[in-house]
Amino acid sequence: MHPDRWARFKALLGEAIEADPARRAELLREVARSDEELARELGEWLAVRTRADGFLETPAHPDALRGGHGRLALGPGARIGRYEVTAVLGFGSSGVVLEARQSDPDRLVALKVLQRGITSPVALQRFFDEARALARLRHPGVAQVFETGTFRQEGVSMPFIAMERVEGARDVVTYAEEHGLGRDARIGLLLDICDAVGHGHERGVVHRDLKPANVLAVSYTH
C-alpha cells in the first residue's frame, strides 16, 4: 500500500472506530463515492476489529498451538500476489512466516503474514510500521525488505511483508553449537550482531524482542 494511501486509510479507520454505527456507515458511503476499493477495505478491517475484540479467549489459529499447519489456509501451493507459497517456516505470536517463490524476479523469499484472528487496527498499524522501519535499513546483517502489500483471503484484505530468504540460517545459539565456536569466535559473532543492531539504532529502529531465537546466523568470517 502506498504511504499516502496508507496514511489516509489509518486516519479514516481511526475516525470510523470512534464513530457511532450511523456515522460509521455514513463515512463509508462518503469514502465510496471517490474510492470504492478504499471503502471496501475499511469495511473489512472494521469487521475484523469487531471479530478480534475477544481474540484472547480463543487461539489465533488452532494449528499454532499444536505446532503443525495441516489446515493452514496459506500452506504450500497457496498464492499471495505474485508469490507461491512453498513451505511454512514458523509461527510467531502474531503471524506466520512462509517461504515462497516470487515469479519476477524468480527467487525464494520469506513472507510474513498476520494471523487473521488478531488483525486489529492496532496490529495492522504495527505490522506496516515494522515493514517501513525495516525497509530503511541497509546492512548485511539485516534481512532486506523487498515489498509490502495486501492480498485477499476468504474475502478479507490481509497484509504481508516479502523479505530476503536467508538459506541455511540457524538461530545464533544453534549455529554456535553446530560450528563448535570457541570463546573468541562467539565474541566476534556477538560483535557482528551489535553492529547490525547499532545500524538500526542510528536510524531510529529499536528491536523490542531481541533474543537468540530471533537472531539468525549463516556464515562466519572472524
Side-chain angles (χ1 to χ4, degrees):
M1 186 179 291
H2 190 277
D4 291 342
R5 184 177 179 81
W6 170 239
R8 185 185 179 208
F9 177 87
K10 287 196 297 182
L12 289 168
L13 187 59
E15 182 180 350
I17 289 172
E18 297 298 326
D20 59 50
R23 170 55 188 156
R24 187 176 299 165
E26 180 184 356
L27 178 63
L28 290 174
R29 287 193 295 271
E30 291 174 357
V31 175
R33 293 189 187 102
S34 59
D35 194 331
E36 292 184 358
E37 178 71 11
L38 186 60
R40 179 181 56 73
E41 291 184 347
L42 280 170
E44 289 173 353
W45 285 110
L46 287 168
V48 167
R49 179 179 184 273
T50 300
R51 295 196 299 272
D53 283 342
F55 79 89
L56 289 176
E57 300 174 6
T58 57
H61 193 286
D63 292 329
L65 294 180
R66 295 194 298 271
H69 50 82
R71 297 201 304 268
L72 183 66
L74 294 175
R79 293 205 63 87
I80 299 176
R82 52 183 177 157
Y83 305 94
E84 181 178 355
V85 177
T86 55
V88 178
L89 298 179
F91 291 96
S93 59
S94 62
V96 59
V97 180
L98 309 166
E99 178 189 81
R101 180 165 295 281
Q102 183 177 352
S103 58
D104 186 19
D106 183 12
R107 61 184 173 189
L108 284 176
V109 304
L111 291 181
K112 184 174 181 180
V113 182
L114 276 179
Q115 299 275 13
R116 250 189 91 175
I118 59 173
T119 48
S120 67
V122 172
L124 177 63
Q125 178 174 342
R126 287 178 179 171
F127 189 85
F128 279 109
D129 285 346
E130 174 188 350
R132 285 195 295 271
L134 289 174
R136 296 201 303 269
L137 305 183
R138 291 291 185 274
H139 188 278
V142 180
Q144 182 181 351
V145 172
F146 296 136
E147 179 185 10
T148 63
T150 59
F151 69 101
R152 298 195 60 78
Q153 182 187 10
E154 299 177 5
V156 177
S157 182
M158 300 291 293
F160 71 86
I161 304 174
M163 304 180 66
E164 178 183 2
R165 169 77 164 103
V166 182
E167 292 290 339
R170 299 286 188 274
D171 72 82
V172 66
V173 173
T174 300
Y175 178 86
E177 293 176 348
E178 287 182 350
H179 289 76
L181 300 187
R183 182 192 62 184
D184 291 346
R186 289 172 185 253
I187 292 174
L189 183 57
L190 179 60
L191 290 175
D192 288 341
I193 295 168
C194 290
D195 186 63
V197 173
H199 175 79
H201 288 176
E202 291 171 354
R203 287 153 183 79
V205 178
V206 177
H207 197 304
R208 299 189 301 171
D209 190 24
L210 195 60
K211 56 189 178 184
N214 288 339
V215 179
L216 301 181
V218 68
S219 63
Y220 189 71
T221 58
H222 286 274

